[in-house]
Amino acid sequence: MQYIENKENIIKLEFLARILIWLNLGKTFNGSAIPHIYFRNYKNFYIPLPPLDEQERIVKKIDELFEILEVIKNSL
């Protein structure tokens, strides 16, 4: 089993969450009874990690844009 350790605090959890949402892993679930994702499908996938302050700015900007999209959606 593979997992991510953040012992050195190199990634903000909010940033990682946005990356995982962007990857849309739900489309790659395998298995019929219990959906799962195989590591072998992603073992060569790299996520560039900007500095923590840049990760915070990215998350803030994504959240701002989604708020704007929600306002637009509600006005339709």
Side-chain angles (χ1 to χ4, degrees), residues 3-6 10-25 45 47-50 52 55-56 58-59 62:
Y3 59 93
I4 297 171
E5 283 191 53
N6 194 25
I10 60 170
I11 188 166
K12 293 283 188 181
L13 293 180
E14 297 86 359
F15 180 77
L16 178 60
R18 296 330 183 275
I19 294 291
L20 294 175
I21 290 167
W22 174 76
L23 288 174
N24 199 10
L25 298 178
F45 187 82
I47 299 172
L49 285 179
L52 290 173
Q55 292 178 37
E56 289 176 7
I58 291 168
V59 169
I62 290 171

Side-chain angles (χ1 to χ4, degrees), residues 1 8 16 20 26 48 63 65 67 73-74:
M1 173 180 279
E8 298 169 13
L16 178 60
L20 294 175
D63 290 345
L65 292 171
E67 286 177 21
K73 187 173 113 179
N74 290 335

Side-chain angles (χ1 to χ4, degrees), residues 36-53:
H36 49 276
I37 300 169
Y38 287 109
F39 175 71
R40 68 177 176 258
N41 296 340
Y42 295 95
K43 68 180 178 182
N44 294 322
F45 187 82
Y46 296 95
I47 299 172
L49 285 179
L52 290 173
D53 59 336

Side-chain angles (χ1 to χ4, degrees), residues 62-73:
I62 290 171
D63 290 345
E64 289 172 3
L65 292 171
F66 273 106
E67 286 177 21
I68 292 169
L69 285 172
E70 191 64 30
V71 169
I72 292 170
K73 187 173 113 179

